[in-house]
C-alpha cells in the first residue's frame, strides 16, 4: 500500500541545457524507477547535470532528501571532478548521495582489481604500474615469455583505455632492428582497444607502450592482468543493491576476443545483447552465494564501507576462469561499476526503490538531530 510522504528524491544524469529544460520522468530512461519511487510515496524528480549549470543543480539537490547519480567517469569529454566536489558538498549537508564520490574512489576505479587480487575473486598476478618505466619493464618481460595481458587505465568506461596485448608474428611495419639481438621493445605485438569498433593492430611493443603513456597523466596508473582464455564464453554481471544481488546480466564479450581465422582486414566483431535475469537464476546461485557471503563482506572490511554506504545500485563483472578440479566454473573479477550502472534488470527496480526509502528515512532522521 502506498504511504504518502514528503520525502524528495532526485535522479541525476548528464545532459545539456535543453535536456534540463524539458526533463521529465516520462522522457527519461529511468521512468520505471521514477514510478517505483513514487509508488512508495516519495516525490521523485529528474536532475539533469552539466558543468555549465552545476550551481543550479546544486541548489536543486540541496532541497532533496536523496540524490541517485548516473554519470560516467568520462562524459562528453569531461571528467567528474566538478560534479564530485558538488556532490560531496550536498552529502555534507545531510542529503543521502549514491554513489558517494568517496565510495567511487574506493570501488569504482580499476585499481580495486589490484587491491583485492588476493581476495579470492581476482587474479593473484594482477599488477599495478605507477609510471611508464614500470610498465615498460614488466610488460616487455611478459611479452618476451609469450604472455597475453590486458592493460586497463585507472578510470574510464565503455572500454576506453583497456587494451589486450600479446605476442604477434612477423612481418612488422618498417625496417627490422639493426643487429642480431632484438630488444624486447622491438618485439611484434598484436593489440586491440576494447572500445567498440576497434580493430587488431600489429606494431612494435615499444610503440604500443608509448601510446599508453597518456594514461599516467595526473594521478593516472595502469592495471595489468592476465588475459582470460575463456573470455569468448561471456561475462557475468552481478547487479547489487547495497550488499545483496538483485539480478544478473550475461553477455558474450567480443571486444578483446580473438578474431576468426578467416576474418578480413577490416573485421569488426558484431555486438551481442546483454540478457537480464532475476537473482534466483539457478545457473549463477553459487556465484551469488560466494559474492554475498564472502567477497562483498571482505570488500567492506578492506575498505571500511558500511552496507548502507554501499552504492544503491552497482555491479561486479566476472569472467570465467579455469575450471576447478571437480569441473566447476571459477570466476575472475573483470571490473566493478558504480558510477553509471544502467540499464539493469527489472528485478532490481523495486529493490532500489525500497532501499532508497530506507536511506531517505535515515537521512531525514539525521538531519533532525
Amino acid at each position: 500500500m502506498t504511504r504518502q510522504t514528503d520525502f524528495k528524491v532526485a535522479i541525476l544524469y548528464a545532459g545539456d541545457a535543453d535536456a534540463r529544460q524539458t526533463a521529465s520522468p516520462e522522457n527519461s530512461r529511468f521512468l520505471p524507477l521514477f514510478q517505483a519511487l513514487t509508488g512508495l510515496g516519495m516525490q521523485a524528480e529528474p536532475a539533469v547535470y552539466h558543468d555549465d549549470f552545476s550551481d543550479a543543480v546544486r541548489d536543486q539537490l540541496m532541497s532533496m532528501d536523496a540524490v541517485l547519480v548516473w554519470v560516467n567517469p568520462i562524459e562528453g569529454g569531461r571528467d567528474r571532478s566538478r560534479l564530485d566536489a558538488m556532490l560531496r558538498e550536498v552529502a555534507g549537508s545531510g542529503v543521502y548521495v549514491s554513489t558517494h564520490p568517496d565510495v567511487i574512489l574506493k570501488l569504482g576505479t580499476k585499481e580495486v582489481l589490484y587491491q583485492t587480487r588476493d581476495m579470492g575473486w581476482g587474479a593473484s598476478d594482477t599488477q599495478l604500474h605507477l609510471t611508464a618505466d614500470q610498465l615498460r619493464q614488466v610488460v616487455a618481460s611478459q611479452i618476451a615469455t609469450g604472455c597475453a595481458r590486458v592493460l586497463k587505465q585507472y578510470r574510464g568506461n565503455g572500454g576506453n583505455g583497456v587494451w589486450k596485448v600479446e605476442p604477434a608474428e612477423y612481418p612488422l611495419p618498417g625496417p627490422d632492428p639493426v643487429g642480431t639481438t632484438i630488444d624486447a621493445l622491438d618485439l611484434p605485438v598484436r593489440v586491440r582497444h576494447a572500445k567498440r569498433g576497434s580493430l587488431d593492430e600489429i606494431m612494435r611493443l615499444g610503440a604500443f607502450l608509448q601510446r599508453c603513456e597518456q594514461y599516467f597523466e595526473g594521478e593516472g596508473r595502469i592495471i595489468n592482468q592476465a588475459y582470460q582464455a575463456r573470455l569468448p564464453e561471456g561475462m557475468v554481471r552481478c547487479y547489487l543493491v547495497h550488499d545483496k544481488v538483485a539480478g544478473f546480466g550475461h553477455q558474450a564479450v567480443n571486444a578483446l576476443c580473438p578474431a576468426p581465422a578467416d576474418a578480413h582486414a577490416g573485421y569488426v566483431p558484431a555486438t551481442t545483447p546483454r540478457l537480464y535475469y532475476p537473482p534466483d537464476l539457478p545457473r549463477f546461485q553459487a556465484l551469488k552465494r560466494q559474492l554475498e557471503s564472502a567477497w562483498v563482506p571482505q570488500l567492506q572490511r578492506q575498505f571500511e564501507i558500511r552496507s548502507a554506504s554501499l552504492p544503491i545500485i552497482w555491479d561486479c563483472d566476472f569472467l570465467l576462469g579455469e575450471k576447478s578440479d571437480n569441473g566447476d566454473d571459477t570466476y575472475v573479477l573483470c571490473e566493478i561499476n558504480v558510477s553509471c550502472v544502467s540499464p539493469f534488470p527489472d528485478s532490481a527496480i523495486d529493490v532500489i526503490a525500497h532501499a532508497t526509502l530506507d536511506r531517505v528515512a535515515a537521512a531525514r532522521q539525521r538531519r533532525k538531530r
Side-chain angles (χ1 to χ4, degrees), residues 171-193:
L172 272 169
D176 288 334
V178 177
T180 58
T181 301
I182 298 179
D183 186 278
L185 295 178
D186 289 320
L187 291 172
V189 291
R190 181 185 304 274
V191 303
R192 188 194 292 179
H193 199 191

Side-chain angles (χ1 to χ4, degrees), residues 225-278:
Q225 291 184 297
Y227 174 75
Q228 299 299 319
R230 296 181 68 190
L231 177 68
E233 296 180 48
M235 180 183 72
V236 182
R237 176 164 285 184
C238 299
Y239 294 90
L240 297 102
V241 175
H242 294 323
D243 57 357
K244 301 298 181 185
V245 174
F248 296 101
H250 187 247
Q251 183 177 22
V253 178
N254 48 36
L256 298 180
C257 289
D262 59 351
H264 55 80
Y267 168 77
V268 178
T271 57
T272 57
R274 180 179 298 121
L275 303 178
Y276 296 97
Y277 303 96

Side-chain angles (χ1 to χ4, degrees), residues 51-319:
D51 284 351
D52 291 347
F53 44 81
S54 61
D55 289 343
V57 181
R58 173 196 172 278
D59 292 342
Q60 178 186 5
L61 300 185
M62 284 295 190
S63 67
M64 297 289 140
D65 291 288
V67 53
L68 310 181
V69 183
W70 276 269
V71 177
N72 283 315
I74 302 172
E75 189 80 44
R78 300 171 185 245
D79 63 25
R80 283 186 44 144
S81 55
R82 188 164 180 176
L83 170 62
D84 287 346
M86 184 263 283
L87 291 175
R88 288 188 178 95
E89 181 184 0
V90 170
S93 73
V95 178
Y96 172 72
V97 173
S98 184
T99 299
H100 192 288
D102 293 346
V103 175
I104 291 176
L105 287 178
K106 291 179 178 181
L107 303 182
T109 73
K110 301 300 190 297
E111 190 169 348
V112 73
L113 301 171
Y114 173 76
Q115 294 167 319
T116 64
R117 65 195 182 281
D118 297 323
M119 210 175 76
W121 68 356
S124 59
D125 72 337
T126 298
Q127 297 164 310
L128 172 68
H129 305 300
L130 299 178
T131 68
D133 285 341
Q134 290 179 357
L135 180 69
R136 278 191 293 271
Q137 292 173 15
V138 174
V139 175
S141 175
Q142 291 167 334
I143 293 298
T145 55
C147 297
R149 307 296 295 186
V150 176
L151 307 182
K152 303 177 179 181
Q153 69 166 322
Y154 177 55
R155 299 190 74 174
N157 51 276
N160 187 27
V162 176
W163 295 84
K164 178 186 177 185
V165 53
E166 61 184 334
E169 301 296 330
Y170 285 100
L172 272 169
D176 288 334
V178 177
T180 58
T181 301
I182 298 179
D183 186 278
L185 295 178
D186 289 320
L187 291 172
V189 291
R190 181 185 304 274
V191 303
R192 188 194 292 179
H193 199 191
K195 198 169 182 178
R196 181 173 295 178
S198 299
L199 303 174
D200 284 359
E201 299 178 69
I202 304 294
M203 62 178 63
R204 300 190 192 281
L205 177 59
F208 167 67
L209 295 178
Q210 187 174 26
R211 181 182 295 182
C212 293
E213 290 180 5
Q214 62 182 306
Y215 303 127
F216 292 101
E217 294 177 1
E219 296 183 354
R221 60 207 73 181
I222 285 181
I223 286 72
N224 176 350
Q225 291 184 297
Y227 174 75
Q228 299 299 319
R230 296 181 68 190
L231 177 68
E233 296 180 48
M235 180 183 72
V236 182
R237 176 164 285 184
C238 299
Y239 294 90
L240 297 102
V241 175
H242 294 323
D243 57 357
K244 301 298 181 185
V245 174
F248 296 101
H250 187 247
Q251 183 177 22
V253 178
N254 48 36
L256 298 180
C257 289
D262 59 351
H264 55 80
Y267 168 77
V268 178
T271 57
T272 57
R274 180 179 298 121
L275 303 178
Y276 296 97
Y277 303 96
D280 57 356
L281 181 71
R283 178 181 176 185
F284 298 135
Q285 288 308 294
L287 175 58
K288 178 178 181 289
R289 287 192 296 272
Q290 187 76 358
L291 190 57
E292 292 181 342
S293 65
W295 292 337
V296 170
Q298 290 178 52
L299 189 73
Q300 290 181 251
R301 288 193 294 272
Q302 179 165 340
F303 293 105
E304 299 181 339
I305 303 174
R306 298 178 299 109
S307 294
S309 297
L310 286 169
I312 205 81
I313 180 69
W314 57 303
D315 71 64
C316 298
D317 292 348
F318 292 96
L319 302 177

Side-chain angles (χ1 to χ4, degrees), residues 311-345:
I312 205 81
I313 180 69
W314 57 303
D315 71 64
C316 298
D317 292 348
F318 292 96
L319 302 177
L320 293 168
E322 296 181 1
K323 292 276 190 178
S324 67
D325 292 340
N326 58 9
D328 293 334
D329 283 327
T330 64
Y331 297 92
V332 178
L333 182 67
C334 176
E335 67 176 350
I336 295 176
N337 297 298
V338 298
S339 298
C340 190
V341 179
S342 176
F344 40 78

Side-chain angles (χ1 to χ4, degrees), residues 1-8 35-44 357:
M1 181 176 179
T2 300
R3 176 170 61 90
Q4 191 62 38
T5 74
D6 62 349
F7 295 157
K8 298 177 65 177
Q35 294 171 331
L37 293 170
T38 57
L40 293 177
M42 289 174 279
Q43 303 172 45
L357 181 60

